[in-house]
Amino acid sequence: MLPDKLGEITDWLSDGARSAPTPSGMMAECCERLVAAGLPLYRVGVFIRTLHPEIFGRNFIWRPDTGVVMTSVDFDIQSAPEFLASPLALVFLEGIEVRSRLDEPSSKSFPFFDDMRAEGVTDYIALPLTFVDNMLHASSWTTKQPGGFTDEQIAALKTVLPTLARLIEVIGMRRITMTLLDTYVGNRAGGRILGGQIRRGHTETMRAAIWLSDLRGFTALSDRLPPESVVEILNHYFDCQVPAILKHGGEVLKFMGDGLLAVFPIAEDDADRSTVCSHALEAAREASAAVEALRWSDRVAGTEERFRFGLALHVGKVLYGNIGGGNRLDFTCIGPAVNLAARLEKIAGNLQRTIVASEAFAGAIEADWTALGEFPIAGFAKAERVYGLADESGSRISPSS
């Protein structure tokens, strides 16, 4: 071992590993520096729990020939037999280190070591990574060195580990912050909040295609069902819309009971207006088809119900930013264009249409539109011409009704 090199690695980690700006890059450079310092590493793994609605944690696996490979695991991993029979389970559940030379009989108790022996590994040690909140994470270190790690090498590894854990925690917390902001306010808004746009009244004007949808008959449905069933229904219903919106470049801003507000940002010079509106319409068609295929079975009444929803598409300027009272703020969009979209969604229900569009939206793209008439809009001086899709039937009620 080279003590000076070991000190340099600790200093490099303490300073934030600035030469490696990504988590994978930091992990790769750290392992390469440790090898250069005299640690005969073959495979290194770092396993970090996270806060994510779908992901339990992430794995970073380094090998000298492949670099770092990152994967994620879902919450099912906690009960997976391969995890429960692994040495990492002991680290996560009991916070203890696990050391095993792979030529010893005791190593036979872990099936994972069979794969490691096949690769020529001679020694394995798993060590806990303890964050400041005492949450346990894990690391594993292997070598192909004949006879395994020496005592000096293990001591060197344990010297570096606390500093490595602190840096991993900082990187992980930043990633969790970004994930939570993305989950609860959306990617665009989350980026602005993390960038410092957190003061009340800090807003900007944005051009966007606006999506406002609503589940038909939700009030009656929620009145006769237990709350747990209502939540389950809403989750399935929103699953029909959110992936389509995100896939086509939109951002979900808000869930309002059974309502959903989303925007598809347009460039300031309006050059991509037609393209963005086309993407929004394609997302609308996909969401409509998904909701159409959705069924809910009422086990009590012995019936099966279809879901119906209404969606209004509009395009215009919105005010986008922080609105609220005191230190409780909401990052959202407001403005006449959003209000008009909300009024159009109600008209969609009256016309028994799934998708309706304003004249501004319908005029932005070529589609098989059919004019549904002009309708007075509450709060607006001018009536709005409303369009629907020709392949969708609906009620042809009078605009004045």
Side-chain angles (χ1 to χ4, degrees):
M1 290 296 300
L2 301 173
D4 291 344
K5 289 288 185 182
L6 206 61
E8 289 177 8
I9 295 170
T10 302
D11 291 342
W12 174 73
L13 291 170
S14 297
D15 193 42
R18 298 177 187 275
S19 58
T22 66
S24 294
M26 183 278 291
M27 184 72 186
E29 187 170 341
C30 181
C31 291
E32 290 162 4
R33 285 172 176 255
L34 287 170
V35 169
L39 268 175
L41 299 174
Y42 167 65
R43 178 188 182 275
V44 176
V46 169
F47 312 91
I48 307 298
R49 302 185 194 188
T50 189
L51 279 176
H52 190 285
E54 298 173 315
I55 297 172
F56 175 73
R58 291 184 171 87
N59 302 330
F60 297 82
I61 305 297
W62 174 87
R63 284 184 172 90
D65 54 339
T66 61
V68 174
V69 176
M70 187 189 78
T71 58
S72 59
V73 295
D74 60 26
F75 287 87
D76 292 339
I77 189 68
Q78 299 173 89
S79 58
E82 60 270 22
F83 170 72
L84 295 175
S86 74
L88 288 180
L90 294 175
V91 178
F92 275 111
L93 299 176
E94 300 182 28
I96 61 175
E97 69 176 62
V98 179
R99 172 85 184 277
S100 185
R101 298 183 190 276
L102 300 197
D103 59 353
E104 295 177 348
S106 60
S107 69
K108 302 290 185 180
S109 60
F110 295 109
F112 171 71
F113 288 160
D114 294 339
D115 296 332
M116 290 292 94
R117 269 189 293 271
E119 294 183 34
V121 170
T122 58
D123 201 356
Y124 171 100
I125 185 169
L127 297 167
L129 296 170
T130 307
F131 286 2
V132 293
D133 60 357
N134 291 321
M135 180 177 283
L136 290 173
H137 307 265
S139 64
S140 66
W141 312 79
T142 69
T143 184
K144 289 184 174 182
Q145 179 175 259
F149 290 117
T150 65
D151 292 342
E152 180 190 15
Q153 289 164 350
I154 292 294
L157 190 57
K158 291 182 178 181
T159 298
V160 172
L161 207 61
T163 311
L164 177 61
R166 292 291 80 74
L167 181 57
I168 290 173
E169 182 171 10
V170 171
I171 294 172
M173 288 303 296
R174 183 171 179 84
R175 185 175 192 130
I176 286 172
T177 300
M178 294 176 66
T179 297
L180 292 177
L181 285 171
D182 191 11
T183 299
Y184 285 96
V185 302
N187 181 264
R188 184 185 178 95
R192 279 169 163 71
I193 293 170
L194 199 59
Q197 193 169 328
I198 58 173
R199 295 187 64 190
R200 184 174 65 170
H202 196 163
T203 58
E204 64 181 65
T205 300
M206 175 179 70
R207 298 192 65 82
I210 303 162
W211 167 306
L212 209 153
S213 62
D214 182 73
L215 180 63
R216 302 287 182 236
F218 176 71
T219 301
L221 192 70
S222 59
D223 183 57
R224 72 173 190 269
L225 293 178
E228 295 80 8
S229 297
V230 173
V231 170
E232 182 180 2
I233 287 170
L234 282 177
N235 285 333
H236 287 305
Y237 163 65
F238 287 131
D239 275 342
C240 295
Q241 299 180 70
V242 173
I245 293 169
L246 299 180
K247 172 185 172 183
H248 292 283
E251 180 173 354
V252 176
L253 289 183
K254 192 175 296 296
F255 298 101
M256 304 161 289
D258 59 318
L260 187 155
L261 173 63
V263 292
F264 294 74
I266 295 173
E268 290 185 15
D269 61 3
D270 223 26
D272 61 349
R273 178 189 184 111
S274 178
T275 300
V276 171
C277 288
S278 294
H279 289 165
L281 180 58
E282 185 61 29
R285 289 183 181 276
E286 290 181 14
S288 178
V291 174
E292 174 68 22
L294 197 61
R295 297 288 187 273
W296 173 72
S297 296
D298 189 337
R299 297 180 180 87
V300 177
T303 61
E304 183 178 75
E305 296 188 21
R306 289 175 52 191
F307 287 86
R308 296 179 299 109
F309 87 123
L311 167 61
L313 297 170
H314 182 41
V315 62
K317 290 184 178 180
V318 299
L319 194 64
Y320 184 78
N322 287 299
I323 300 167
N327 63 357
R328 179 60 179 90
L329 305 178
D330 190 12
F331 209 101
T332 187
C333 67
I334 62 171
V338 178
N339 296 339
L340 179 57
R343 304 292 192 272
L344 292 177
E345 192 279 321
K346 300 305 180 186
I347 291 174
N350 293 335
L351 295 175
Q352 298 178 22
R353 287 267 175 173
T354 299
I355 300 172
V356 299
S358 66
E359 187 169 21
F361 187 95
I365 56 174
E366 291 187 11
D368 194 9
W369 297 114
T370 182
L372 303 177
E374 284 193 352
F375 296 83
I377 306 295
F380 289 79
K382 182 183 176 183
E384 177 70 26
R385 187 173 295 276
V386 181
Y387 292 82
L389 296 171
D391 58 359
E392 181 189 335
S393 61
S395 172
R396 299 292 298 180
I397 65 174
S398 168
S400 61
S401 62

